[in-house]
Amino acid sequence: MTSSRADCHYCLQSLRGRKYALREENAYCVTCYDSLFANPCEECKQPIECDSKDLAYKGRHWHEGCFKCAKCSRSLVEKPFAAKDELLLCTECYSDEYSSKCFHCQKTIMPGSRKMEFKGGSWHESCFVCQYCRQPLGTKPLITKDNENYCVPCFEKQFAHHCYSCKKVITSGGVSYHDQPWHKECFVCAGCKTQLSEQRFISKDEYPYCVDCFSKLYAKKCAACKKPITAPGGAKFVSFEERQWHGECFNCAKCSVSLVGQGFLTRQDDILCHECGSA
């Protein structure tokens, strides 16, 4: 502005007819003002004179023409920008250098946009959806399979096993029996309903039985002790003419010597060793 004031506050030269600048109600000639108060430009290091526009950011100053992206040199005046390691970058350059890429579409997640993070990956909010129903997952519970995310209802509909007994979804663990999935708590003895997931069982007519129930219901009775011969294939037994014996019960009826693997004779219902049978 042209001065109507008398003298420069610093050099005391007359300001009549000359441009001057005000600072704290004191008038300074342009030369004194620039030498005393002008900020150095971060880019060109030259003072930003009083007749130039001074752009400031976090205590640093630039000429209007020097306020540019450090990478592509495009002007940042009145445009959004980001700072990284004291460098100013336009949003495009900042995104190319530092922003995350969306795990789904592989495009940059621009600064200021909402980013969803899950298991070390990042997604645009619009890309973070159930693979099956395409509904946004947001913060809902989800399940991942083959690098794809599913809401729980869709995952259960597509992939989850249903218990052969109760028909409900098996969310963890489970037992396979006759190529069918079962909850552990549903896999029980057909006789006494005891859980069988962690104990030995026997199959009969496609139903599982604990050893005790199978023995009571189906096992052959030993001709000697009259107790069940349990678990076919699990206990040694001897069979002769539709009768069965525990291995330890197959003894001579007279001298009690074991006849397992030995020749023997029969007399009515008795089994005898050769010596006793010939006497």
Side-chain angles (χ1 to χ4, degrees):
M1 62 183 70
T2 303
S3 175
S4 59
R5 299 184 179 230
D7 302 320
C8 169
H9 183 72
Y10 185 73
C11 70
L12 303 180
Q13 291 186 19
S14 174
L15 296 177
R16 296 182 185 279
R18 299 172 61 191
K19 289 182 178 181
Y20 69 94
L22 289 174
R23 184 178 178 89
E24 297 177 356
E25 298 185 356
N26 294 317
Y28 297 84
C29 66
V30 171
T31 301
C32 289
Y33 185 90
D34 289 341
S35 65
L36 292 172
F37 306 115
N39 295 305
C41 174
E42 288 286 328
E43 179 65 21
C44 69
K45 310 305 179 186
Q46 298 299 313
I48 303 171
E49 298 171 339
C50 65
D51 57 354
S52 298
K53 195 169 185 178
D54 185 334
L55 300 179
Y57 175 72
K58 289 189 175 181
R60 297 186 293 160
H61 301 264
W62 288 262
H63 288 105
E64 186 176 13
C66 295
F67 196 60
K68 301 176 181 179
C69 172
K71 185 175 181 184
C72 69
S73 297
R74 284 183 292 184
S75 175
L76 299 177
V77 177
E78 296 183 357
K79 293 181 180 179
F81 63 89
K84 181 69 176 179
D85 300 330
E86 297 191 354
L87 297 177
L88 301 184
L89 300 168
C90 64
T91 54
E92 290 83 359
C93 289
Y94 182 88
S95 297
D96 289 343
E97 287 289 320
Y98 305 108
S99 292
S100 303
K101 297 290 191 297
C102 175
F103 186 86
H104 177 73
C105 69
Q106 297 302 310
K107 294 181 180 178
T108 298
I109 301 174
M110 299 296 288
S113 61
R114 191 172 182 188
K115 178 173 68 173
M116 309 303 294
E117 295 185 343
F118 177 66
K119 289 186 176 180
S122 300
W123 283 260
H124 292 109
E125 185 176 20
S126 59
C127 291
F128 194 60
V129 298
C130 170
Q131 178 67 18
Y132 185 72
C133 69
R134 311 307 299 176
Q135 293 300 307
L137 290 170
T139 57
K140 297 177 184 176
L142 60 93
I143 302 173
T144 299
K145 179 178 174 62
D146 299 330
N147 288 329
E148 299 289 356
N149 299 320
Y150 298 85
C151 65
V152 173
C154 285
F155 181 86
E156 292 180 351
K157 186 185 299 182
Q158 291 293 104
F159 304 110
H161 294 297
H162 290 75
C163 176
Y164 183 77
S165 176
C166 70
K167 311 305 179 186
K168 295 181 180 179
V169 170
I170 300 173
T171 56
S172 63
V175 176
S176 179
Y177 173 68
H178 282 192
D179 296 325
Q180 297 292 346
W182 301 62
H183 288 114
K184 286 184 177 181
E185 58 271 22
C186 292
F187 188 62
V188 298
C189 171
C192 67
K193 307 304 179 184
T194 301
Q195 286 191 26
L196 298 175
S197 60
E198 296 183 359
Q199 63 174 291
R200 187 165 168 247
F201 63 89
I202 302 168
S203 179
K204 174 69 174 176
D205 299 329
E206 297 188 359
Y207 290 98
Y209 293 85
C210 67
V211 174
D212 287 343
C213 285
F214 182 86
S215 298
K216 292 175 184 177
L217 295 172
Y218 301 109
K220 302 289 186 180
K221 300 295 189 294
C222 175
C225 71
K226 309 306 179 183
K227 294 180 179 179
I229 299 173
T230 60
K236 291 183 179 181
F237 69 99
V238 178
S239 180
F240 175 70
E241 292 184 350
E242 297 184 357
R243 289 189 295 168
Q244 290 80 31
W245 292 260
H246 293 109
E248 62 273 19
C249 294
F250 192 59
N251 302 323
C252 174
K254 188 173 182 180
C255 70
S256 299
V257 69
S258 175
L259 298 177
V260 176
Q262 306 297 320
F264 59 88
L265 300 173
T266 61
R267 181 183 296 166
Q268 295 180 352
D269 290 336
D270 291 335
I271 304 295
L272 302 169
C273 65
H274 280 290
E275 290 184 7
C276 292
S278 299

